[in-house]
Amino acid sequence: MKLILLGPPGAGKGVQAARLEDERGMIQLSTGEMLRAAVAEGSEIGKLAEGIMAHGELVPDGIVVGVISARISQPDCANGFTLDGFPRTLAQAEALDRVLEDTGVSLDAVIELKVDDAALLDRILTRAAESPCGPRADDNEEALKKRLQVYHAQTAPVAAYYNAQGILRSVDGMADIEGVAKQIADIIDEKRT
Ligand code: ADP
């Protein structure tokens, strides 16, 4: 099963992608996590991404496309994956189509988690307060405002792109974690039969 999870910051993509990895062995491919690892390592990509991420802006397409295409072609992804936080722009979606075409892989579904903007600030501030490793550099009110603006301007068109391909599904991301997981599982099981 090859999935994309779309949704605004704080929608719960990471939580659901981690569950899909535990429960179904679908590899979680989170560009946010990969970039945070690069920042922690102090690599060239990390140095470039650090300030951009802290301000809630997008890392350039060429960089994230390079990172994801190297990872998605590893053998462990052949049995299934969930893209979490990628693609975030139309150019990234188009680049992903080319990478998948080259490797002969097709997506099974793109699932959009729908959550009201008003709920997101609460969720992000709760995550920041509860994180055992301290808050992420971008989990504060100012960066979140920017991340939401960027989401509506650049990532919402990605949903329309997949809708036009006929593979977009939406779930109610305002439900609790179990409720969202159930809706996603229903879509996956429907695709498998
Ligand atoms: P969230 O979905 O909660 O905003 P992520 O961990 O997915 O968090 O992303 C954190 C930050 O990493 C983004 O705000 C952005 O700066 C950078 N980032 C992650 N994925 C991408 C991407 N596909 N394209 C550009 N920047 C990205």
Side-chain angles (χ1 to χ4, degrees):
M1 182 65 45
K2 279 116 183 165
L3 273 193
I4 294 178
L5 290 182
L6 281 183
K13 302 180 296 291
V15 170
Q16 298 297 336
R19 280 182 68 128
L20 291 169
E21 180 163 302
D22 284 352
E23 292 170 7
R24 298 179 188 251
M26 295 162 58
I27 304 294
Q28 176 180 9
L29 300 175
S30 159
T31 40
E33 289 298 331
M34 291 173 199
L35 292 169
R36 278 187 288 280
V39 171
E41 259 169 34
S43 68
E44 285 307 310
I45 289 179
K47 283 182 204 149
L48 191 141
E50 188 168 15
I52 299 175
M53 292 171 76
H55 287 104
E57 284 161 10
L58 292 184
V59 173
D61 289 335
I63 294 195
V64 280
V65 168
V67 166
I68 208 76
S69 50
R71 182 65 188 90
I72 213 168
S73 48
Q74 309 259 308
D76 61 339
C77 291
N79 290 328
F81 56 76
T82 307
L83 283 164
D84 154 17
F86 179 93
R88 258 175 157 91
T89 64
L90 274 180
Q92 291 179 17
E94 287 163 0
L96 175 65
D97 274 351
R98 287 192 292 273
V99 170
L100 294 176
E101 214 174 281
D102 287 347
T103 42
V105 167
S106 56
L107 293 168
D108 295 291
V110 177
I111 302 181
E112 182 185 24
L113 274 55
K114 292 213 170 242
V115 182
D116 301 341
D117 278 8
L120 297 172
L121 180 63
D122 271 0
R123 287 192 186 183
I124 299 255
L125 295 180
T126 305
R127 175 166 83 187
E130 288 176 356
S131 166
C133 342
R136 268 169 48 175
D138 59 351
D139 274 354
N140 57 68
E141 197 161 348
E142 198 187 330
L144 177 68
K145 244 170 99 181
K146 183 72 198 171
R147 284 154 69 200
L148 278 176
Q149 274 171 11
V150 168
Y151 180 77
H152 289 300
Q154 309 219 48
T155 310
V158 174
Y161 177 82
Y162 290 115
N163 195 29
Q165 292 188 7
I167 54 172
L168 182 73
R169 303 289 297 265
S170 292
V171 302
D172 174 15
M174 297 294 286
D176 62 13
I177 289 176
E178 289 302 324
V180 176
K182 170 82 173 66
Q183 296 175 75
I184 293 173
D186 286 347
I187 294 173
I188 292 176
D189 293 337
E190 186 190 304
K191 294 274 164 197
R192 288 160 55 121
T193 52

